[in-house]
Every structure is written in C-alpha cells, then in structure tokens.
Amino acid sequence: DELIYKTYKLTAKLKFDTERAFVSSRDYEALITHLDTLLTGGNMSDDTKSFIKQYMLDHADDADMNAEKLARYAIGLVITSPDYALQR
C-alpha cells in the first residue's frame, strides 16, 4: 500500500507499513519520532508531538478506527502542522 498526499506544489508518497506497525503495537512515541524525522527534519515542536499523541490515544479504540486509518490521520496531522509548513 502507498499513501499519496498532495498539497500546494508538493506530492508526498509514503509506503506506510512502518507507520502501521507502530500504530498496531501502540508505540505512538516511536511513530511520532519517525514522522518527525521523515516529514519535519526533526523540527517538530513538543506541543505538536503531544497533540498528535493525545489524538491517537483518544481515538485508538474508536469503533471505526484501525491501524491504517490512525496512521493516515497521524501523518495528516503532521503535514498540516506549522512544523511541517516551516520545514518546507
């Protein structure tokens, strides 16, 4: 599987097996660290990390949520964050 995000003048293709694995094992810290390195060059703020982790904790057990969907949402939260915009 491959995830493609398109934003203004930017397309990102992610094969997100790694991201799904982190979510499946509920290792949200590792996922956030991975996304921080991959998408913001290590510049994600502690506030953004905390927000994303709390979002994942709050929604991990939702009836319509699965590992793939939660991984996609986490990626979406990163690429819509100010940290990502500043990195671009």
Side-chain angles (χ1 to χ4, degrees):
D1 287 337
E2 165 173 282
L3 178 64
I4 301 174
Y5 275 101
K6 291 185 179 185
T7 60
Y8 180 74
K9 294 185 180 181
L10 176 72
T11 300
K13 277 188 185 180
L14 301 171
K15 292 190 177 206
F16 60 104
D17 293 336
T18 301
E19 293 80 3
R20 269 195 312 245
F22 285 134
V23 172
S24 291
S25 66
R26 293 187 180 243
D27 193 350
Y28 303 138
E29 293 281 342
L31 174 64
I32 293 166
T33 299
H34 170 73
L35 294 177
D36 180 23
T37 301
L38 184 67
L39 299 173
T40 70
N43 293 311
M44 191 182 305
S45 72
D46 289 341
D47 286 344
T48 300
K49 290 176 186 177
S50 178
F51 174 81
I52 293 170
K53 183 176 180 182
Q54 191 59 53
Y55 179 89
M56 296 180 77
L57 290 168
D58 289 347
H59 296 282
D61 295 321
D62 289 356
D64 66 337
M65 191 63 70
N66 59 39
E68 179 174 327
K69 192 181 231 184
L70 195 54
R72 287 175 184 255
Y73 286 173
I75 293 165
L77 289 169
V78 173
I79 68 171
T80 58
S81 74
D83 309 287
Y84 180 82
L86 290 175
Q87 177 63 22
R88 278 191 12 169

